[in-house]
Amino acid sequence: MTQNPDKNAARQIHPLEDLVRTDRLPHIWCPGCGIGSVFTSCLSAVKKTGIPYNQFTMVSGIGCSGRGAGYINIDSFHTTHGRAIPFATGIKMARPDLNVIVFSGDGDLFAIGGNHFIHAARRNMDITVICVNNLTYGMTGGQAAATTPHLAKSSTTTIGNPENPFNLPFIAYASGATYVARWTMLHARDLADAVEDCLLRKGFSFIEVLSPCPINFGRRNKEKSLETLRKYHENTIIKNDANPAELDIDYSKGVILGKFVDIDKPSHDERYKSIYWPEEED
Amino acid sequence: MKKAVLTGEHFINGDVACAEGAIAAGCRFFGGYPITPATEVAEHISVRLPQVGGTFIQMEDEIAAMTSILGGAWTGVKTMTSTSGPGFSLMMETVGLAVVTETPCVIVNVQRGGPSTGLPTMGGQADMMQAKWGSHGDYEIIALAPSSPQEMFDLTITAFNLSEKYRTPVFIMSDEIVGHMSEKVVIPDPKKIKTISRPKPAGKKDRFKLYKPGPNGVAPMPSIGEGYNIHVTGLTHDEKGYPVMSVETQKEMMDRLLGKIRNNLDDIIMTEGYKLEDAEIVIVSYGVSARTSFTAVDTARKMGIKAGLLRLITVWPFPEKLIEKLSKKIKGFVTVEINMGQICREVQRCAGGRVPSYLAGHAGGTIITPDEVLKVLTEEAF
Ligand code: SF4
């Protein structure tokens, strides 16, 4: 027999209460959505670094994941469609000491914001980009994204997607990112560790996080939330240092997770400083 | 570290003067994207900023350039970008974000002929309406129109000051001719340059309201890292800065946004009058076209026409009251501008049908000569 919690016990403080804007709850994410879990992993990582919270800032674009910035209780910015990365770049250029996190979705970062992503990676801008990839445009109602699988259904590809999706880690790698990883929202611990790694290192870091959108992607593609999680559990392979070219998302072959790139290279601000402010060098 | 204010006399072009003005005003971050005829602003400031402890980045496009200066601005730094017509169009979405989030920044548009690629190396003044209405939604904007390299320096400082004071993006609506024209520019002693910085908050950090306005309708602005835990969004938001989707919140926010400009018109609007006292015909002009207009007024006077000039230094917000007042005591207006009648329409609107209003316009590519103005003045109009 189960027992109800003691009514008179002191209120349990949520371990992340200091990092959540509790005055903004409830959040907008649907039941069964993965964004909340990804967000939690991200907040735990921020906490675990031990770095004072006022040295972090979070920037989001638009969409369901783009609401992340609205729930973290640090200086945070909810910007325009696709522009989180250039906004973050401006912050970093003006205050290189800040730890800048971009938290947004695949639609925002890779379609409308694709150009900004590749250039920030090329520059090795010292920011951490966390992309919640749910294979669709969730907030606008499940249209095709740059990540929607070929033949998958969406509200703008009702018979099947004629296009090919991006392999995001491959783009990141090819563009010059110095840290590239992929996890799913089910791999909460690995994900939190990866985010922590990124926050503590210099350079452009990219983490793709696979996450279900049961409402707008799952429904159209006959996939229940739990089935998606089962796929994340059963049809994924952890293979660190895998070849980025082989990271296409195909659950029939198994989707590769892990840390694929971790290179030490001077970040943009380090280079700018050494070239343009030479007298400041020790 | 080199000097931020290069006190002395210089022979430089308008674009370079603008960059120097920005640095003198305290600008320490510039996100740019090259486009003729504004490129020299970015080139010059890319050299100068690191000399004074600032940073420069050439972004991948104008959208990114504009967005980067907003990010920079929230760190407490004064920021700027420059562009020309096509780039200005790309920036417009983010201009809206700057307006709604009340982010101070300066955007220089060195105008060329348009539409589209138009006349990249030749002047125009045809983005004036885009400056007012280019972004979506209702908003008020501040736009200044320099007529000389000296004013490119001086008004860039003014633009930063207005932007900081009212927490709003400010446009410098220059043009190719002023941008590329070299003249003597006098840079004063730093002590003589008045610079304004955004109002800063004080008091309890945990109960801080990001958009609670001060006495002049403008809210104090904290920077990232100061411990206010701010949330900034482009969504309609309440005084705390939190999104609230309601008719009431939208109204409150819009009243505050529009009000801080509309209730301070006297402080923002700058004009220059020339022989206006007894004028029967008033030329309205701005930017490079105003230079032509001075000569036109003098020539007209010699011909016995009582002409005067109203030079708009601030183009937006528009000096409605002044035009209205003039319209009650003169015979008519002639607007001189390098476009097919953008500000002319505003003059007509404010003249309210009391007196006629004519255009001495040009499709773009060159200046308007005094003769062209006189032709309209004597043959077409009056
Ligand atoms: S629409 Fe999809 S992505 Fe958006 S909150 Fe709902 S489940 Fe999550």
Side-chain angles (χ1 to χ4, degrees), chain B residues 1-319:
Chain B
M1 234 189 287
K2 296 230 169 105
K3 280 204 283 189
V5 180
L6 304 179
T7 307
E9 287 185 7
H10 303 264
F11 186 69
I12 49 179
N13 73 25
D15 282 357
V16 170
C18 173
E20 285 300 334
I23 288 170
C27 172
R28 290 297 177 270
F29 172 61
F30 186 102
Y33 190 79
I35 183 168
T36 307
T39 306
E40 292 88 341
V41 180
E43 284 176 345
H44 188 75
I45 212 163
S46 77
V47 176
R48 288 282 284 136
L49 273 175
Q51 294 175 352
V52 296
T55 52
F56 167 90
I57 189 167
Q58 182 175 316
M59 295 298 282
E60 52 275 15
D61 56 32
E62 285 91 346
I63 301 173
M66 179 65 212
T67 314
S68 74
I69 67 166
L70 299 196
W74 279 96
T75 69
V77 168
K78 293 184 188 179
T79 63
M80 181 168 97
T81 189
S82 64
T83 191
S84 188
F88 197 53
S89 301
L90 286 182
M91 289 177 178
M92 277 302 158
E93 183 201 27
T94 315
V95 167
L97 181 69
V99 168
V100 85
T101 56
E102 304 187 48
T103 309
C105 57
V106 173
I107 301 117
V108 185
N109 180 356
V110 187
Q111 298 169 84
R112 57 200 229 176
S116 190
T117 315
L119 301 165
T121 58
M122 299 157 89
Q125 292 181 311
D127 306 344
M128 303 309 293
M129 275 296 161
Q130 192 186 8
K132 176 63 194 87
W133 298 112
S135 197
H136 52 286
D138 283 317
Y139 60 93
E140 288 288 352
I141 203 81
I142 301 176
L144 312 178
S147 285
S148 62
Q150 180 68 51
E151 277 199 343
M152 286 291 263
F153 180 86
D154 297 338
L155 291 183
T156 301
I157 296 173
T158 310
F160 272 99
N161 288 348
L162 289 169
S163 148
E164 293 283 318
K165 188 170 179 187
Y166 293 106
R167 284 190 61 184
T168 186
V170 174
F171 295 137
I172 297 172
M173 298 299 289
S174 183
D175 58 77
E176 186 273 335
I177 302 148
V178 169
H180 281 164
M181 165 197 298
S182 290
E183 280 184 345
K184 184 171 92 171
V185 173
V186 181
I187 300 183
D189 188 88
K191 282 190 230 83
K192 297 234 170 75
I193 297 178
K194 189 172 158 251
T195 60
I196 296 177
S197 292
R198 60 198 71 171
K200 296 296 289 179
K204 280 219 160 69
K205 291 192 174 170
D206 53 340
R207 260 175 266 146
F208 176 66
K209 287 206 172 140
L210 186 55
Y211 294 109
K212 191 173 163 45
N216 66 345
V218 184
M221 181 174 175
S223 305
I224 299 172
E226 288 178 344
Y228 287 93
N229 289 348
I230 51 174
H231 178 58
V232 177
T233 177
L235 289 165
T236 293
H237 46 261
D238 60 13
E239 279 192 348
K240 179 117 175 75
Y242 284 3
V244 180
M245 301 297 103
S246 77
V247 176
E248 295 74 35
T249 314
Q250 171 74 2
K251 181 175 178 340
E252 264 168 44
M253 186 185 78
M254 291 310 298
D255 283 348
R256 185 176 70 246
L257 285 179
L258 301 179
K260 69 181 179 180
I261 307 280
R262 290 182 182 174
N263 300 331
N264 291 296
L265 295 178
D266 291 345
D267 183 50
I268 301 169
I269 295 176
M270 295 171 288
T271 56
E272 179 189 358
Y274 180 62
K275 300 192 176 170
L276 272 186
E277 295 72 29
D278 61 337
E280 291 177 344
I281 293 161
V282 170
I283 294 177
V284 179
S285 193
Y286 56 92
V288 72
S289 301
R291 295 171 75 115
T292 300
S293 303
F294 278 107
T295 313
V297 166
D298 288 340
T299 317
R301 288 266 170 180
K302 275 189 209 127
M303 292 161 68
I305 304 169
K306 282 191 171 171
L309 168 69
L310 176 68
R311 180 167 81 96
L312 310 178
I313 300 170
T314 308
V315 177
W316 304 115
F318 197 70

Side-chain angles (χ1 to χ4, degrees), chain A:
Chain A
M1 211 175 106
T2 56
Q3 272 193 335
N4 288 338
D6 178 5
K7 266 204 306 224
N8 302 316
R11 190 167 75 97
Q12 286 269 312
I13 304 267
H14 189 278
L16 293 169
E17 192 167 88
D18 54 346
L19 269 174
V20 176
R21 286 184 197 272
T22 45
D23 55 345
R24 285 218 55 216
L25 296 178
H27 58 68
I28 57 136
W29 297 316
C30 311
C33 178
I35 299 171
S37 311
V38 181
F39 191 61
T40 304
S41 294
C42 184
L43 299 194
S44 346
V46 167
K47 192 169 185 131
K48 251 183 98 198
T49 59
I51 299 169
Y53 292 160
N54 69 352
Q55 286 170 33
F56 287 97
T57 181
M58 182 181 274
V59 187
S60 290
I62 296 295
C64 299
S65 305
R67 290 299 185 97
Y71 300 122
I72 187 169
N73 195 23
I74 58 168
D75 296 325
S76 53
F77 298 86
H78 181 221
T79 63
T80 41
H81 313 66
R83 319 296 170 210
I85 289 178
F87 197 98
T89 298
I91 294 176
K92 197 71 201 176
M93 289 301 299
R95 275 281 308 274
D97 58 306
L98 286 170
N99 215 321
V100 186
I101 309 163
V102 169
F103 187 94
S104 217
D106 51 304
D108 180 75
L109 288 167
F110 285 96
I112 187 166
N115 195 31
H116 308 310
F117 181 90
I118 60 177
H119 286 281
R122 171 179 68 80
R123 296 181 182 114
N124 199 23
M125 197 47 73
D126 178 26
I127 56 180
T128 298
V129 179
I130 297 160
C131 172
V132 183
N133 183 3
N134 55 18
L135 315 176
T136 192
Y137 283 83
M139 189 164 273
T140 44
Q143 296 81 16
T147 48
T148 302
H150 177 56
L151 295 179
K153 293 194 170 122
S154 76
S155 67
T156 47
T157 57
T158 47
I159 300 177
N161 183 18
E163 301 178 7
N164 283 321
F166 274 142
N167 166 350
L168 301 183
F170 194 25
I171 295 184
Y173 167 71
S175 309
T178 47
Y179 182 105
V180 181
R182 173 195 278 157
W183 294 101
T184 80
M185 51 76 74
L186 197 63
H187 298 77
R189 185 73 53 86
D190 300 291
L191 174 59
D193 290 348
V195 176
E196 193 189 345
D197 270 4
C198 294
L199 297 177
L200 294 172
R201 72 193 295 289
K202 285 286 254 176
F204 188 88
S205 311
F206 173 63
I207 306 174
E208 175 186 20
V209 194
L210 303 174
S211 170
C213 168
I215 303 301
N216 279 318
F217 184 83
R219 193 163 45 86
R220 284 193 183 81
N221 291 287
K222 310 256 174 300
E223 190 175 292
K224 295 231 161 60
S225 196
L226 279 179
E227 290 165 21
T228 317
L229 298 196
R230 190 166 299 123
K231 277 197 322 199
Y232 291 169
H233 182 60
E234 290 170 2
N235 299 352
T236 53
I237 308 152
I238 297 176
K239 194 173 156 197
N240 291 324
D241 303 318
N243 177 1
E246 289 161 10
L247 298 175
D248 286 314
I249 296 178
D250 181 351
Y251 288 99
S252 65
K253 288 198 217 137
V255 171
I256 300 172
L257 309 177
K259 181 171 84 178
F260 313 121
V261 177
D262 189 356
I263 314 166
D264 196 19
K265 201 164 73 175
S267 62
H268 180 276
D269 50 301
E270 287 171 338
R271 280 181 168 164
Y272 190 87
K273 216 171 151 185
S274 70
I275 298 168
Y276 284 90
W277 299 353
E279 68 273 20
E280 303 256 316
E281 294 279 279
D282 298 331

